[in-house]
Amino acid sequence: MGEQPSAEIGLSARREPVAVVGLGASAAAFRSLEQLFALMPRDSGAAFVIVSESENPLDTDALLKTLNSLGSLPARIAGDGERLEPDQIHVAPIGMIVTLQDDRLHLSPPEQNPGHRGTVDTLLISLAEQQREAAMGVILAALSDAGSLGVARLKECGGLSLAEGEPVHSDPSQVGGAAELADLRLPLEKIPPRLAALIAHLREIENPPETPTALPDGESRLSAIATILRNRTGHDFHGYKPNTFLRRIQRRMHVVRIDDLDAYMERLRADPAEVQDLFQDLLIGVTQFFRDPAEFELLEREIIPALLRERQAGETLRVWVLGCSTGEEAYSLAMLIREATAVMDSPPHVQIFATDIDARALAVARTGRYLASIEKDVLPERLARWFSKEGGTYSIHKDLREMCIFSAHNVIKDAPFSRVDLISCRNLLIYLNADLQERVIPLFHFSLRAGGYLFLGPSENVTRHARLFQAVDRRYRIFRRQETAARILPEFPLTARSEPRRGTGEVASSLRHSPGGQLAKRAERVVERYAPAYVVTDQDYDVLNFSGRTGPFLDPSSGAANLNLLNLVHRDLRLDLRAALHRAAAERRTARVAPLRMGIEGEARRVGLTVEPLSDGQQGEAHFVVLFHDYSADQGQDADESPVESSVLRDEHVLRLEGELRLTKDRLQATIEELESTNEELKSSNEEYQSINEELQSANEELETSKEELQSINEELHTVNGELAHRIGELARANSDLKNLFESTQIAVLFLDNDLRVKNFTPSMSEVLHLIESDLGRPVAHIASRVPYPEMDEDVRRVLRTLSTIEREIGGAEGRRYLVRVLPYRSVDNFIAGAVLTFLDITATRAARAAQRAAEARVRLATAAARIIIWELDVASGHFFPSEGF
């Protein structure tokens, strides 16, 4: 009978659990654990490991008694080196750090104080790395913010996580704790059946989940799935890596228990929440501290010192980190800048804006807690200076955390930050298509201050924008902003494609890229019908293309260079050409001009003009082909023409006509002079109007620039507001905890500042001093005491002077006694900001001690009178000794 259980245990130990489920709990989660395991099937095949928060630990003895009384899964205290067994609950001892290695639990004492151990995160991270797809985590509602890093690691390794609560998909920007990061959020009573179903589904999978063989013809469906994601989330994943895409899709199929890819696509079309879950899985970033160390060494050695030299004490150094993911790169730059400013007498203020489209990754970045694996990326001296170890994790120092502002931001849609000194955009551009890359680089140019730096990834470059950026180190992809003759105004949002701005130097390319295109070839086909010299213009009559024989017909005006045809063409042709262009544009058909005389006597030639419009329809942008017909070869008389003899009548007629002609010429000359005078006046007025127009255009450009800068500042304020809202939420929670602590404690506590003024007190303090809420800020000496304590002022001042602790017993009314303890008040930064007085009522304790002493005295008298000798047994040694006093 006695050997059979041992045999059963040995047989069970040889079985391997299908999955390992890690649960983080606290004293407040006791009933939730009881309900969870009451509904959990006995034969799921999974092993369960429960670890307790160090701040509010479980009563493990009571938990074991309760779980074993349920009659479901057996529970026991976990031991070091113990092998995991299926259908068993392993409860970790209080205060121990639990990890998993080779299906065995390893327990170790913590190196940190309570509250800084990261027991839940350490367990979930270990499960994720050891069990991969067979790892699962359960986050109960009573658990605090602990576990967010462990849940993120489960996602990266292919594991699953479930949280108690209702599904939340309304506002991903509010994601913050471990529960919001979980794959599934369910009411507590639905977690056991879903957990059992997931474990059963895991048992049925024959191939490992990471192999794409489970998704036949998966790559052919990626385009359709990417289209669904783009329509629902606004983010395009058509260029995402196929293998990674397939693994993430398969992981989501496992969560929702769907085996067919077509069925999963239908699920995506019908369920917006599943689209969001797949989107979040695809956004798990790849980053690390000081990625590509050589590049960061160059930043530390040259770039950051150069930036700091240009900033004075009252100025701000601004850094923008795009695609920051979980924040490692932002904190890496913060370390370099903080180390550089530490040796400066008057360092500037530093702001680091870290942005990403993944709100859940930003939640991890704001927490600032990272895996112990960062030890291989961060130098030991930096690790000791800028991190504090919490169990198996490292937490970022408060100084670095306050330098960084994390915000959800899409560089394609949202307004960019402005007046930035350094932009770090590493391995983000490689996910954008060529068109977006071409338009994002000018946006960086707009955001940077004069002389600012751009830091790109090893596979990214700005070679197509050589006039915007100059290479500082092309190998390490560090570039410096160059000033341009005209300010480059960015286009955003970049998703709404607009016609790019262009100057006269760029119009030549518009013909080649115009819609319906190939206008140059169409122009050549028209020219083949005439074979004269020609030019091609746009709708503003700016020349886009010249033929090779246009020289005789062009006579540019003096002044600034201009490609407008009406300023280039010979003045004798200008008026008629303008009329022909207007006629062709208005009527959308060919306009011809009869041969005109061009040039002076001896060099004159007859030139005809033909203007033919080119466009892609009534709504298309108009272009024109202007052809020059040279008739100079036909100026001579026909050889067969015979001279006409003069006659008197003809001479008289000719003389009369010549007289009329001279009169007409005189009148015309007078008209021309009047016209020239009027033209001069018009020219003067036109110059004034042109000057006013240029001023208006300049003012308009300044307004447009101010508008774009205002958008950038507004985006920045939105970012800072989000950060402040997050901080206010944390402060509200801390105040609530402090309020509940004050109301629940029976110890009278009084907080004083360095001037002995009341800062705060617990409700019990009103039994010692006559304190009300309005007494905050009053000197404690002005408040009447219910308990005589004349040494209070002296004790407090001595503690502030010596930083020691004073204990004193004092008496009160009605025979009450108090133990008073006075100790210094230390801020988070270890700054002495006053004193703390605690008054512990020991009246009952003194009475009990007095009663005990009286009873002992009576016993001694009784035993002495009865001549009784009492011996005591020392259990350890087995020897008897006479009792003390006998």
Side-chain angles (χ1 to χ4, degrees):
M1 295 290 292
E3 296 181 356
Q4 187 172 355
S6 299
E8 291 177 357
I9 293 175
L11 180 61
S12 176
R14 290 192 293 271
R15 294 170 56 203
E16 297 293 335
V18 178
V20 180
V21 182
L23 298 97
S26 63
F30 190 96
R31 295 303 175 192
S32 297
L33 288 172
E34 179 182 3
Q35 183 179 355
L36 179 71
F37 286 105
L39 300 174
M40 194 68 202
R42 291 178 54 88
D43 55 352
S44 66
F48 298 84
V49 183
I50 300 176
V51 294
S52 177
E53 273 192 316
S54 56
E55 292 86 345
N56 189 18
L58 282 164
D59 185 345
T60 54
D61 293 335
L63 179 65
L64 288 176
K65 182 178 179 181
T66 300
L67 293 181
N68 287 319
S69 66
L70 296 175
S72 56
L73 299 175
R76 63 188 181 195
I77 294 291
D80 186 28
E82 180 177 281
R83 183 178 292 277
L84 289 175
E85 297 182 9
D87 301 318
Q88 292 276 343
I89 303 174
H90 304 266
V91 181
I94 298 300
M96 300 298 288
I97 299 296
V98 183
T99 57
L100 183 65
Q101 186 174 356
D102 299 328
D103 291 330
R104 292 182 181 274
L105 295 173
H106 288 267
L107 279 64
S108 59
E111 300 176 2
Q112 297 78 30
N113 296 326
H116 300 279
R117 295 175 177 173
T119 53
V120 178
D121 281 311
T122 303
L123 172 66
L124 295 181
I125 291 167
S126 177
L127 289 184
E129 294 175 347
Q130 291 291 318
Q131 296 294 313
R132 310 300 292 182
E133 291 78 12
M136 298 183 182
V138 176
I139 305 298
L140 299 175
L143 196 66
S144 65
D145 291 337
S148 58
L149 189 60
V151 171
R153 189 59 176 163
L154 280 170
K155 283 177 170 289
E156 294 177 15
C157 296
L160 299 173
S161 54
L162 298 88
E164 178 186 359
E166 296 297 328
V168 177
H169 296 284
S170 58
D171 188 2
S173 65
Q174 301 300 320
V175 171
E180 285 80 5
L181 288 169
D183 295 304
L184 293 170
R185 287 172 58 90
L186 301 168
L188 183 64
E189 63 274 9
K190 294 185 178 180
I191 291 180
R194 176 57 69 90
L195 197 59
L198 291 172
I199 296 170
H201 188 261
L202 190 64
R203 183 189 288 116
E204 295 171 0
I205 298 178
E206 298 179 356
N207 296 321
E210 67 270 15
T211 58
T213 55
L215 295 177
D217 300 327
E219 292 193 22
S220 63
R221 310 298 209 290
L222 291 184
S223 178
I225 295 176
T227 301
I228 296 173
L229 283 169
R230 182 185 59 196
N231 294 338
R232 290 296 180 90
T233 68
H235 301 286
D236 196 347
F237 289 90
H238 281 88
Y240 210 68
K241 294 180 180 179
N243 291 338
T244 305
F245 208 161
L246 285 172
R247 281 198 299 270
R248 296 302 173 190
I249 292 172
Q250 186 171 6
R251 182 179 180 278
R252 289 305 309 170
M253 291 174 63
H254 173 50
V255 171
V256 298
R257 293 178 294 166
I258 294 178
D259 296 324
D260 182 66
L261 187 55
D262 291 331
Y264 182 69
M265 290 174 62
E266 292 301 321
R267 172 68 177 267
L268 287 174
R269 294 187 180 99
D271 188 0
E274 180 59 28
V275 177
Q276 289 295 331
D277 289 334
L278 177 59
F279 170 65
Q280 293 297 335
D281 271 14
L282 289 168
L283 289 181
I284 294 178
V286 178
T287 185
Q288 65 186 57
F289 285 97
F290 300 100
R291 189 178 184 182
D292 303 320
E295 284 85 333
F296 279 92
E297 288 177 6
L298 180 61
L299 285 177
E300 180 182 14
R301 186 176 63 253
E302 298 181 13
I303 306 303
I304 292 177
L307 289 173
L308 291 174
R309 282 194 299 268
E310 299 172 358
R311 294 287 167 265
Q312 304 299 323
E315 297 179 336
T316 301
L317 178 70
R318 296 158 61 88
V319 179
W320 184 14
V321 180
L322 289 90
C324 68
S325 187
T326 48
E328 286 91 332
E329 184 177 336
Y331 287 130
S332 298
L333 291 172
M335 288 183 221
L336 298 182
I337 297 173
R338 188 68 178 81
E339 291 168 1
T341 57
V343 298
M344 299 178 64
D345 294 332
S346 301
H349 180 61
V350 179
Q351 283 183 324
I352 299 178
F353 301 98
T355 63
D356 200 284
I357 63 174
D358 186 359
R360 299 187 177 189
L362 292 173
V364 177
R366 290 191 182 101
T367 304
R369 182 182 295 172
Y370 298 96
L371 305 177
S373 59
I374 68 171
E375 294 171 351
K376 70 178 186 301
D377 303 321
V378 183
L379 296 176
E381 53 269 24
R382 281 187 177 137
L383 205 61
R385 181 177 182 182
W386 301 117
F387 294 86
S388 59
K389 194 168 186 180
E390 301 180 359
T393 65
Y394 282 93
S395 182
I396 202 75
H397 195 274
K398 186 181 71 170
D399 285 354
L400 297 185
R401 176 63 189 88
E402 291 179 349
M403 287 174 62
C404 301
I405 299 175
F406 294 96
S407 173
H409 181 279
N410 191 331
V411 68
I412 297 175
K413 295 181 179 179
D414 300 327
F417 294 91
S418 62
R419 298 176 292 110
V420 179
D421 296 283
L422 172 64
I423 292 179
S424 177
C425 180
R426 313 195 68 227
N427 302 317
L428 173 63
L429 297 181
I430 58 177
Y431 296 104
L432 304 179
N433 59 36
D435 177 63
L436 287 179
Q437 288 187 32
E438 289 297 307
R439 295 157 68 194
V440 166
I441 297 300
L443 184 144
F444 293 160
H445 184 272
F446 167 80
S447 295
L448 286 169
R449 283 175 172 167
Y453 293 89
L454 176 63
F455 185 27
L456 298 180
S459 301
E460 300 163 337
N461 215 320
V462 293
T463 52
R464 296 185 180 181
H465 297 275
R467 67 190 183 94
L468 300 183
F469 290 95
Q470 177 186 6
V472 176
D473 192 305
R474 196 172 299 277
R475 176 185 176 189
Y476 292 150
R477 301 297 191 269
I478 298 178
F479 305 90
R480 188 167 189 177
R481 183 186 188 271
Q482 292 191 118
E483 288 300 318
T484 56
R487 185 170 189 187
I488 305 298
L489 297 178
E491 304 172 32
F492 54 84
L494 299 182
T495 51
R497 180 61 171 161
S498 59
E499 187 66 23
R501 302 177 179 91
R502 67 180 186 227
T504 56
E506 297 172 335
V507 294
S509 63
S510 66
L511 180 63
R512 296 190 298 270
H513 300 290
S514 61
Q518 316 240 346
L519 291 177
K521 294 183 178 179
R522 295 179 57 196
E524 291 173 3
R525 289 198 298 268
V526 174
V527 170
E528 287 174 358
R529 298 202 300 266
Y530 300 94
Y534 71 93
V535 295
V536 181
T537 73
D538 62 8
Q539 61 184 357
D540 298 322
Y541 313 139
D542 289 325
V543 177
L544 305 179
N545 195 13
F546 291 95
S547 71
R549 302 183 305 278
T550 57
F553 312 105
L554 302 181
D555 183 17
S557 302
S558 60
N562 195 323
L563 285 178
N564 192 278
L565 179 59
L566 297 178
N567 291 328
L568 293 177
V569 75
H570 196 283
R571 66 182 63 191
D572 293 340
L573 308 178
R574 194 168 297 170
L575 184 61
D576 295 273
L577 177 58
R578 183 192 300 273
L581 286 169
H582 282 297
R583 190 164 64 252
E587 299 177 0
R588 294 278 179 155
R589 61 187 181 87
T590 302
R592 292 182 174 84
V593 178
L596 302 170
R597 179 187 175 91
M598 184 187 77
I600 60 177
E601 294 293 340
E603 297 180 0
R605 62 174 67 197
R606 296 166 61 221
V607 178
L609 301 174
T610 300
V611 179
E612 181 159 335
L614 297 174
S615 66
D616 293 322
Q618 293 297 322
Q619 302 301 323
E621 182 178 353
H623 293 76
F624 302 95
V625 178
V626 180
L627 302 105
F628 301 92
H629 306 280
D630 191 354
Y631 296 105
S632 59
D634 301 329
Q635 287 181 355
Q637 288 183 340
D638 192 336
D640 296 334
E641 183 179 350
S642 60
V644 179
E645 296 181 355
S646 300
S647 64
V648 176
L649 183 60
R650 180 172 181 83
D651 290 341
E652 291 178 357
H653 182 66
V654 169
L655 291 173
R656 187 174 65 252
L657 290 177
E658 287 178 353
E660 293 177 358
L661 180 59
R662 281 194 298 270
L663 180 61
T664 303
K665 283 183 177 181
D666 292 339
R667 292 176 179 174
L668 179 60
Q669 182 65 32
T671 304
I672 290 174
E673 291 175 358
E674 293 177 1
L675 180 61
E676 288 177 353
S677 176
T678 305
N679 285 341
E680 289 295 331
E681 294 176 0
L682 290 175
K683 183 178 180 181
S684 176
S685 300
N686 184 57
E687 290 176 355
E688 292 179 4
Y689 289 139
Q690 187 173 2
S691 176
I692 295 173
N693 184 55
E694 290 176 355
E695 292 177 2
L696 291 175
Q697 185 175 1
S698 175
N700 185 55
E701 290 178 357
E702 291 177 1
L703 288 174
E704 186 174 358
T705 301
S706 300
K707 175 187 174 182
E708 308 235 354
E709 291 179 351
L710 185 60
Q711 284 183 278
S712 298
I713 294 172
N714 184 55
E715 183 67 29
E716 181 180 330
L717 289 175
H718 179 73
T719 299
V720 175
N721 185 55
E723 181 74 8
L724 288 176
H726 181 75
R727 297 286 181 89
I728 290 170
E730 293 180 349
L731 181 61
R733 288 195 297 271
N735 286 336
S736 297
D737 294 343
L738 187 62
K739 181 173 182 278
N740 283 276
L741 175 64
F742 276 14
E743 293 177 351
S744 62
T745 183
Q746 299 299 318
I747 302 175
V749 184
L750 176 64
F751 298 92
L752 302 177
D753 61 13
N754 288 325
D755 297 326
L756 305 191
R757 297 178 182 273
V758 177
K759 293 171 60 177
N760 210 339
F761 57 88
T762 62
S764 302
M765 196 64 203
S766 60
E767 299 176 1
V768 179
L769 299 175
H770 290 277
L771 283 170
I772 58 177
E773 291 293 333
S774 60
D775 289 330
L776 294 180
R778 290 182 59 192
V780 69
H782 295 179
I783 300 173
S785 175
R786 299 178 187 270
V787 177
Y789 185 15
E791 301 88 355
M792 178 188 295
D793 185 88
E794 180 183 350
D795 288 351
V796 173
R797 295 189 183 279
R798 184 188 306 170
V799 166
L800 292 177
R801 186 173 61 254
T802 63
L803 304 184
S804 59
T805 301
I806 294 178
E807 289 189 0
R808 184 189 298 274
E809 185 176 328
I810 62 175
E814 300 178 357
R816 306 193 70 80
R817 304 293 296 177
Y818 292 91
L819 177 63
V820 181
R821 182 178 289 109
V822 186
L823 62 158
Y825 181 98
R826 298 178 184 272
S827 66
V828 177
D829 300 324
N830 202 25
F831 176 74
I832 304 303
V836 182
L837 289 80
T838 61
F839 294 79
L840 180 62
D841 190 345
I842 58 172
T843 305
T845 303
R846 285 178 57 85
R849 288 179 180 175
Q852 181 183 5
R853 287 194 295 270
E856 290 175 353
R858 287 195 296 271
V859 171
R860 281 196 297 271
L861 291 174
T863 54
R867 299 180 179 276
I868 298 174
I869 299 176
I870 298 175
W871 294 77
E872 295 181 357
L873 172 64
D874 185 354
V875 179
S877 62
H879 297 291
F880 286 90
F881 298 94
S883 179
E884 183 179 353
F886 298 97

